[in-house]
Amino acid sequence: MVGEETTRVSDHVWAIMGFPNIAIVVGARATLVVDTGLGPKNGATAAKVAQKLAPTNRLYLTTTHFHPEHAGGEPGFPPQTLLIRDAEQQREMGVHGQEMMDFFRNMSARNNDLLANVELRPPDISFEKEAMVDLGGGVRARLLWLGGAHTNGDELTLVEPDRTLISGDVVQNKVVPNVRGDACTPATWLAVLDRVAELKPVRILPDHSAPGDASLIAAEAELIREIEARGLALKRQGMSIEEASKQVTAELKTEHPDWANTDTSRIMPSVYGETK
Ligand SMILES: [Zn+2]
């Protein structure tokens, strides 16, 4: 559940740490919330926390991708909230939104409860590649679609002047990449990371792991290359996707005993060149 405690990430960025981490960017006139939590009840908590940080600010909302723990809490936000997201994310929600919603509902009775009767509205503003959101007082959020990595519609937010990057699933910290989008492969993910590196962020807030510095970008790329190389070697030996995934998962677990999860089953099919 989304809590009410915030962690300060940089001068204008706060986070509610949880599943997912929800970023709150506060300017002089407006506040941008990035991600909602699972379902309207959690969305309402995130909105309340954002309003507490800056009670008179206008509220904006954006989402890192369409998955329900990131976007499914939107109806819990006040109705006058301005919703912005990239067009690819919205298209992907149109194609896979219902299926993902059902997948999450079926996980547990609590999820089913949180997502009961959720109807999501289209954004007030959508953009193809970039939208600059002026929050007042010199605080700007650059919303960016750089291509597909975790999902086709992955959105990243660079907060200026902090140079804090809200990275969604695209850059994580000690987390194995999870390839879900129809058009996503290790190669598309690596291409996105090249563009992320050009942004030269100082601080990175991922959605499912701890904040870190810009070194997370190179670490993410290295991890993807490593999994890809190992997977392809096992493919050449004639191993099945399932076996290769089990083996690489176990190897990563041995190398990184402190990681919560080293499951490679969501990236191995794309390493093998399986299309969805
Ligand atoms: Zn996701």
Side-chain angles (χ1 to χ4, degrees):
M1 296 298 286
V2 171
E4 295 190 24
E5 197 187 314
T6 51
T7 302
R8 194 154 188 182
V9 178
S10 60
D11 283 355
H12 305 96
V13 183
W14 281 257
I16 305 171
M17 302 303 285
F19 190 89
N21 301 328
I22 295 172
I24 303 171
V25 186
V26 181
R29 288 191 310 271
T31 299
L32 172 71
V33 179
V34 184
D35 283 349
T36 65
L38 188 74
K41 201 173 161 200
N42 283 315
T45 305
K48 183 173 128 190
V49 171
Q51 286 171 319
K52 219 161 123 190
L53 283 171
T56 59
N57 272 10
R58 171 113 213 252
L59 206 54
Y60 297 163
L61 172 65
T62 194
T63 53
T64 58
H65 58 296
F66 78 98
H67 291 166
E69 82 271 38
H70 301 274
E74 176 278 313
F77 278 69
Q80 67 276 20
T81 304
L82 194 77
L83 178 63
I84 312 168
R85 68 164 61 97
D86 68 80
E88 186 55 39
Q89 186 182 147
Q90 191 62 33
R91 280 192 284 272
E92 197 175 20
M93 182 184 273
V95 178
H96 292 296
Q98 192 56 49
E99 158 201 325
M100 259 296 159
M101 199 66 99
D102 292 341
F103 176 75
F104 270 75
R105 282 183 178 128
N106 289 331
M107 274 182 194
S108 67
R110 194 181 72 162
N111 278 10
N112 194 36
D113 228 35
L114 287 168
L115 293 173
N117 306 316
V118 170
E119 301 248 1
L120 300 179
R121 67 182 172 105
D124 302 296
I125 297 173
S126 82
F127 65 94
E128 290 295 332
K129 291 194 169 159
E130 176 164 353
M132 180 69 92
V133 181
D134 187 351
L135 301 173
V139 182
R140 296 170 308 277
R142 276 176 77 188
L143 313 188
L144 299 155
W145 179 78
L146 303 175
H150 168 56
T151 63
N152 295 353
D154 288 331
E155 183 183 313
L156 296 99
T157 299
L158 183 70
V159 178
E160 293 167 343
D162 303 28
R163 287 166 70 194
T164 293
L165 180 73
I166 300 155
S167 63
D169 273 68
V170 177
V171 185
Q172 292 279 5
N173 193 350
K174 303 182 177 182
V175 172
V176 170
N178 182 335
V179 175
R180 298 300 296 250
D182 292 338
C184 298
T185 65
T188 68
W189 198 315
L190 289 168
V192 169
L193 289 174
D194 282 345
R195 303 207 42 208
V196 172
E198 288 165 14
L199 300 172
K200 301 200 186 316
V202 171
R203 196 103 187 107
I204 298 180
L205 174 68
D207 59 357
H208 293 302
S209 49
D213 62 22
S215 69
L216 293 183
I217 302 166
E220 181 77 53
E222 196 183 319
L223 178 60
I224 291 172
R225 286 199 190 94
E226 184 188 337
I227 294 170
E228 192 179 28
R230 290 188 197 192
L232 287 174
L234 297 173
K235 184 184 180 188
R236 281 193 292 274
Q237 289 170 26
M239 216 181 242
S240 70
I241 294 175
E242 291 70 28
E243 287 171 322
S245 151
K246 257 189 208 153
Q247 174 157 337
V248 178
T249 298
E251 287 170 7
L252 288 172
K253 189 76 217 163
T254 307
E255 277 162 57
H256 309 288
D258 58 319
W259 292 16
N261 179 351
T262 59
D263 181 15
T264 58
S265 66
R266 296 277 186 203
I267 183 171
M268 203 53 75
S270 63
V271 168
Y272 267 58
E274 294 273 307
T275 47
K276 293 183 195 85

